[in-house]
């Protein structure tokens, strides 16, 4: 039997929160999606809607294909136990795999809240990224992570298959290979389109991208190695 | 001047370190001791051995402002006005003085419209500004930002940079993983396993130790010089 393609479909979604209103429309296909936007533009609220934590006031959201959805929030929201070992075991089976992937083999009995911010984040990310979820929404996955850990996250993301992976981040210098770019602007979701073809339509590109464009450099993608290649072409 | 001498504190082991007045960035891998270092400077943790002296005083006797990664978690009050007023109220300032100081500060931060609001219901960016206000209002000897930038976009960070410059605080120490943020500092301290492995001045251009361009604060200074943040 042919496996149905995973897809998240938002139709006329409206969500009100005080004076703030979020509007979203679009389809999220398998692949890596990046959602950028200013502070307060509604990125986190959109992530919560994509993950089904909040239901829209108007419109519909549908998850087609398999339905295993996971959202990375602030890591302390994920903690349900005391130690690293217990927390890893509370996920989906292979606790040792999670612990070793997170590089915490020598801290199995450590209290979760005495881990550093980055260590706790690695533990939760390892659990999420090995969990065979069909839709993974990562809200600020790089916050609190050092360079090595950022590369580690991206390696796992890049070998995923048939998954819809949504990265919500303003930090564009640490990304894996991204296929689709979205932008939140004052509560409204815009689909910029495929990367790199549609990058030129980015409404509010970050300073580095604007600087590259000014130097006549066309980006071949948004992955860290694409940026490294691009900045090397800037004349001294 | 901040002087650290023969300090042992938790994972930190610092024989000697001097931080000049200005803005200092702390970076290093996860678990290298960045937050411990900031706690040491602010007197939240005390060294088991050695001394930390800020402008001739023990950290416990200094006024310290602290803004964390999730600023609302350190907030004590439910209204913005009360949160901003709290450091001054605890120091027994008069109501008139407090009101006047809040008025001026809120206008500098661009949050006059938020003063009467509840903390609950503020956006992430607004919370950061209120936390900055509460940290700045007592005119701290040292302002600490513990990965405050990790959820903020570039434009917002530029806005905070301007606020920090205008505040004239002698010492600002912030931890970050982002090279583009380090570009705004006067010096960078790199930690690894609780030790200072490098202390680099960015005031003197001859001092380049970064091989990759995206890791090089000088490269980021070039980017930001050509691209103003307010576009």
């Amino acid at each position: 039997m042919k496996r149905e393609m995973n897809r998240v479909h938002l139709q006329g979604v409206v969500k009100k929160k005080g004076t703030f209103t979020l509007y979203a429309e679009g389809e999220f296909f398998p692949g890596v999606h990046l959602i950028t936007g200013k502070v307060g533009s509604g990125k986190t609220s959109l992530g919560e809607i994509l993950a089904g934590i909040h239901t829209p006031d108007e419109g519909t959201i549908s998850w087609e294909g398999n339905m295993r959805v996971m959202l990375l929030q602030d890591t302390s929201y994920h903690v349900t136990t005391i130690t690293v070992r217990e927390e890893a075991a509370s996920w989906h089976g292979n606790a040792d795999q999670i612990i070793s992937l997170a590089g915490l083999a020598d801290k199995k009995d450590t209290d979760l809240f005495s881990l550093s911010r980055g260590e706790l984040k690695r533990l939760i990310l390892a659990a999420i990224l090995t969990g065979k979820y069909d839709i993974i929404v990562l809200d600020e996955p790089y916050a609190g992570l050092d360079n090595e850990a950022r590369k580690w996250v991206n390696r796992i993301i890049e070998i995923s298959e048939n998954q819809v992976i949504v990265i919500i981040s303003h930090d564009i210098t640490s990304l894996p290979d991204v296929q689709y770019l979205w932008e939140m602007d004052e509560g409204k979701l815009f689909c910029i389109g495929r990367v790199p073809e549609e990058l030129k339509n980015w409404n509010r590109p970050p300073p580095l991208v604007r600087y590259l464009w000014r130097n006549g450099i066309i980006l071949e993608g948004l992955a860290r190695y694409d940026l490294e290649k691009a900045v090397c072409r800037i004349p001294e | 001047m901040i002087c650290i001498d023969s300090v042992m504190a938790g994972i930190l082991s610092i024989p000697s370190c001097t931080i000049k007045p200005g803005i200092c960035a702390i970076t290093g891998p996860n678990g290298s001791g960045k937050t411990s270092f900031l706690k040491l400077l602010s007197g939240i943790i005390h060294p088991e051995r050695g001394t930390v002296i800020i402008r001739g005083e023990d950290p416990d006797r200094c006024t310290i402002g602290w803004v964390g990664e999730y600023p609302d978690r350190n907030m004590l009050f439910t209204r913005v006005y009360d949160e901003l007023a709290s450091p001054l109220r605890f120091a027994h300032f008069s109501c008139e003085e407090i009101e006047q100081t809040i008025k001026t500060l809120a206008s500098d931060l661009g949050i006059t419209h938020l003063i009467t609001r509840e903390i609950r219901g503020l956006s992430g960016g607004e919370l950061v500004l209120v936390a900055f206000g509460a940290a700045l209002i007592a005119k701290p000897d040292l302002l600490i930002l513990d990965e405050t930038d990790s959820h903020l976009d570039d434009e917002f960070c530029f806005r905070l940079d301007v606020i920090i410059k205008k505040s004239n605080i002698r010492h600002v120490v912030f931890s970050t993983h982002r090279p583009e943020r380090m570009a705004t500092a006067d010096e960078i301290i790199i930690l690894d396993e609780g030790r200072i492995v490098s202390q680099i001045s960015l005031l003197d251009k001859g001092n380049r130790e970064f091989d990759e361009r995206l890791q090089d604060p000088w490269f980021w200074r070039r980017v930001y010089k050509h691209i103003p943040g307010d576009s």
Side-chain angles (χ1 to χ4, degrees):
Chain A
M1 196 179 78
K2 196 171 165 247
R3 199 172 165 208
E4 197 184 344
M5 185 166 75
N6 297 319
R7 182 176 79 133
V8 189
H9 192 185
L10 299 131
Q11 286 173 296
V13 164
V14 178
K15 180 79 188 172
K16 292 196 173 77
K17 204 167 146 189
T19 54
F20 176 82
T21 309
L22 180 143
Y23 302 93
E25 178 95 42
E27 285 176 283
F28 288 78
F29 294 107
V32 180
H33 300 254
L34 172 68
I35 302 177
T36 65
K38 286 169 70 165
V39 171
S41 60
K43 301 190 295 293
T44 293
S45 303
L46 178 69
E48 289 166 348
I49 289 172
L50 284 171
I53 288 183
H54 292 307
T55 44
D57 299 325
E58 288 170 38
T60 58
I61 173 164
S62 51
W63 295 270
E64 291 157 25
N66 291 315
M67 297 272 283
R68 298 188 69 236
V69 181
M70 181 47 69
L71 169 68
L72 167 76
Q73 296 180 286
D74 164 30
T75 45
S76 59
Y77 294 169
H78 289 274
V79 169
T80 56
T81 62
I82 309 287
T83 66
V84 169
R85 190 195 301 272
E86 290 167 355
E87 187 62 25
S90 75
W91 282 77
H92 41 68
N94 198 339
D96 286 335
Q97 185 200 4
I98 294 173
I99 293 171
S100 76
L101 192 62
L104 294 172
D106 57 345
K107 294 198 170 173
K108 280 184 184 163
D109 296 310
T110 302
D111 186 310
L112 292 164
F113 286 112
S114 62
L115 293 178
S116 79
R117 200 171 0 220
E119 287 167 337
L120 180 59
K121 189 122 191 187
R122 286 206 310 257
L123 180 67
I124 304 299
L125 275 165
I128 290 176
L129 293 169
T130 55
K132 300 195 171 66
Y133 297 102
D134 303 294
I135 295 148
I136 300 178
V137 182
L138 302 170
D139 191 353
E140 298 290 1
Y142 306 106
L145 291 187
D146 63 24
N147 258 339
E148 284 309 307
R150 287 168 189 228
K151 286 181 194 160
W152 164 86
V153 172
N154 291 343
R155 277 197 300 273
I156 311 177
I157 289 175
E158 285 180 345
I159 55 171
S160 65
E161 276 176 37
N162 194 39
Q163 285 171 308
V164 181
I165 297 180
V166 181
I167 297 173
I168 297 173
S169 182
H170 60 271
D171 191 349
I172 65 132
T173 59
S174 304
L175 296 168
D177 194 14
V178 169
Q179 279 97 49
Y180 306 92
L181 177 64
W182 303 76
E183 190 165 30
M184 284 299 290
D185 194 0
E186 292 178 11
K188 200 163 188 295
L189 176 67
F190 292 90
C191 178
I192 305 300
R194 281 196 75 95
V195 178
E197 297 87 333
E198 308 294 336
L199 277 175
K200 57 184 184 300
N201 299 325
W202 204 342
N203 292 319
R204 294 175 179 275
L208 177 64
V209 173
R210 302 209 298 271
Y211 184 66
L212 289 167
W213 286 353
R214 260 174 65 151
N215 281 280
I217 290 157
I218 293 160
L219 274 164
E220 290 168 25
L222 285 178
R224 170 83 186 188
Y225 44 80
D226 292 315
L227 294 183
E228 275 169 9
K229 223 164 37 177
V231 298
C232 280
R233 298 209 300 265
I234 301 172
E236 271 297 341
Chain B
M1 205 82 97
I2 300 176
C3 299
I4 301 174
D5 184 36
S6 314
V7 159
M8 302 286 281
I11 77 156
L12 295 174
S13 166
I14 303 170
S16 167
C17 170
T18 308
I19 302 173
K20 294 195 192 85
I23 302 174
C24 175
I26 310 291
T27 191
N30 291 138
S32 60
K34 296 183 294 298
T35 298
S36 299
F37 188 82
L38 298 179
K39 285 182 175 168
L40 178 77
L41 294 185
S42 59
I44 295 174
I45 56 172
H46 293 125
E48 293 129 35
R49 273 205 358 235
T51 53
V52 178
I53 302 290
I54 301 171
R55 303 179 70 193
E57 292 276 9
D58 192 273
D60 287 348
R61 301 178 62 85
C62 295
T63 307
I64 314 276
W66 180 293
V67 184
E69 182 185 0
Y70 296 100
D72 48 327
R73 295 208 185 144
N74 295 353
M75 288 184 186
L76 296 172
F77 297 93
T78 54
R79 287 197 317 155
V80 172
Y81 186 92
D82 295 329
E83 183 64 28
L84 293 174
S86 57
L88 302 182
R89 283 179 177 160
F90 292 146
H92 304 290
F93 279 68
S94 74
C95 291
E96 293 75 34
E97 266 179 292
I98 292 174
E99 204 168 308
Q100 198 48 49
T101 312
I102 289 180
K103 231 171 142 183
T104 314
L105 179 75
S107 143
D108 286 349
L109 292 170
I111 55 169
T112 304
H113 61 293
L114 299 180
I115 285 181
T116 55
R117 292 265 302 272
E118 299 272 321
I119 298 280
R120 215 185 131 101
L122 295 185
S123 75
E126 288 168 343
L127 285 169
V128 174
L129 291 171
V130 172
F132 255 72
L136 294 175
I137 200 155
K139 300 200 166 47
D141 304 299
L142 165 64
L143 173 66
I144 288 186
L145 311 172
D146 187 14
E147 290 191 30
T148 308
D149 60 34
S150 61
H151 298 260
L152 302 176
D153 60 69
D154 288 314
E155 281 174 46
F156 199 89
C157 288
F158 294 143
R159 191 171 160 193
L160 295 182
D161 293 340
V162 173
I163 292 169
I164 290 171
K165 289 247 158 68
K166 262 174 82 174
S167 71
N168 278 326
I169 291 169
R170 297 281 289 182
H171 283 284
V172 179
V173 181
F174 69 96
S175 66
T176 186
H177 285 292
R178 300 170 63 190
E180 64 267 41
R181 298 308 307 151
M182 291 175 219
T184 63
D186 302 317
E187 64 178 325
I188 303 175
I189 290 177
I190 303 174
L191 290 171
D192 197 10
E193 294 182 352
R195 290 160 200 275
I196 294 178
V197 291
S198 185
Q199 188 168 2
I200 301 154
S201 171
L202 292 180
L203 294 173
D204 164 23
K205 235 189 162 179
N207 224 337
R208 298 183 69 147
E209 294 184 25
F210 300 87
D211 31 350
E212 246 181 75
R213 266 193 173 175
L214 288 174
Q215 291 299 115
D216 179 357
W218 294 106
F219 169 73
W220 286 101
R221 284 191 176 182
R222 233 169 94 193
V223 172
Y224 292 148
K225 200 173 131 198
H226 292 285
I227 307 287
D230 54 6
S231 67

